[in-house]
Amino acid sequence: IGGFPVGYINLNGNSIGNWNRMFFDLTKKVDIKGFINKNSHMPQTKLLDLYQKKLGDNLNELEQKLTKYGINIENKLALTLQKLSVKADFVIDLHSAGINQPHIYTFPDLINFANLFGMQHVLKLPLEFTGAFDEAFYLPWAKLAHAYKNSTDKDLHINKESYTIEL
């Protein structure tokens, strides 16, 4: 469309930018090591609930900041999807294109599960935030699990999964 790939330009406004990279990193205001040091004595389920609440609080604070003087459609969409997913255990970001080799993106911790989708091509994403929805959902939990392991030498069972499927 106009030389831009679908998903890159907002046809309802003047915004040009990658809609696949508009999500928010909810861990920017979280001292994960401090959080673990303060709460590692808790049962894991309680620690995970408290962390989920912290992520939700960060989203609410971000929403208040962005809506104070009006919010653009891209930020509203990102906030809405992140608010819907903050309490989820499983996220699938489904993409489709006219001509494409079907594949799935996921993170190193989830490669074995990704193979269960039966896709011929599985691409491993790095554990770094670039603004994508799957990253916005999964990376806060992966960061927590990795920091917990480094701090306590115990595994934290986050029970969160995120995949982007390209069809």
Side-chain angles (χ1 to χ4, degrees):
I1 300 173
F4 294 101
V6 174
Y8 192 77
I9 186 169
N10 176 359
L11 298 174
N12 295 315
N14 296 321
S15 175
I16 298 176
N18 191 342
W19 283 35
N20 292 320
R21 296 281 180 266
M22 63 183 182
F23 295 91
F24 305 101
D25 182 355
L26 299 179
T27 63
K28 280 186 176 182
K29 290 190 171 188
V30 178
D31 173 11
I32 295 177
K33 289 180 184 177
F35 177 83
I36 291 168
N37 289 338
K38 183 178 176 183
N39 300 300
S40 62
H41 67 282
M42 293 181 174
Q44 286 191 4
T45 54
K46 201 160 181 84
L47 182 132
L48 294 172
D49 288 345
L50 187 61
Y51 189 69
Q52 181 174 290
K53 183 182 179 329
K54 189 165 211 42
L55 295 177
D57 290 347
N58 286 358
L59 259 176
N60 290 334
E61 183 181 315
L62 180 61
E63 182 178 34
Q64 288 176 358
K65 179 181 170 185
L66 290 173
T67 58
K68 187 173 185 177
Y69 300 107
I71 186 169
N72 66 35
I73 191 70
E74 293 84 4
N75 285 341
K76 186 174 182 174
L77 177 61
L79 277 170
T80 300
L81 288 172
Q82 284 187 260
K83 286 178 82 172
L84 287 170
S85 70
V86 76
K87 292 183 180 180
D89 295 327
F90 195 92
V91 165
I92 295 177
D93 187 1
L94 186 60
H95 294 201
S96 60
I99 301 172
N100 188 15
Q101 179 64 43
H103 56 284
I104 186 169
Y105 294 95
T106 197
F107 301 94
D109 306 345
L110 302 173
I111 289 292
N112 290 337
F113 299 112
N115 290 325
L116 297 174
F117 283 91
M119 308 277 298
Q120 185 177 358
H121 304 287
V122 178
L123 305 175
K124 183 170 41 171
L125 296 169
L127 291 171
E128 55 190 57
F129 188 78
T130 64
F133 182 45
D134 54 358
E135 299 164 353
F137 170 75
Y138 184 72
L139 290 181
W141 298 101
K143 287 178 182 180
L144 179 68
H146 288 272
Y148 188 87
K149 177 75 170 176
N150 289 338
S151 180
T152 67
D153 204 32
K154 297 177 188 172
D155 289 328
L156 180 64
H157 304 286
I158 58 173
N159 297 319
K160 305 287 182 182
E161 298 179 40
S162 184
Y163 307 94
T164 296
I165 300 175
E166 302 273 354
L167 298 174

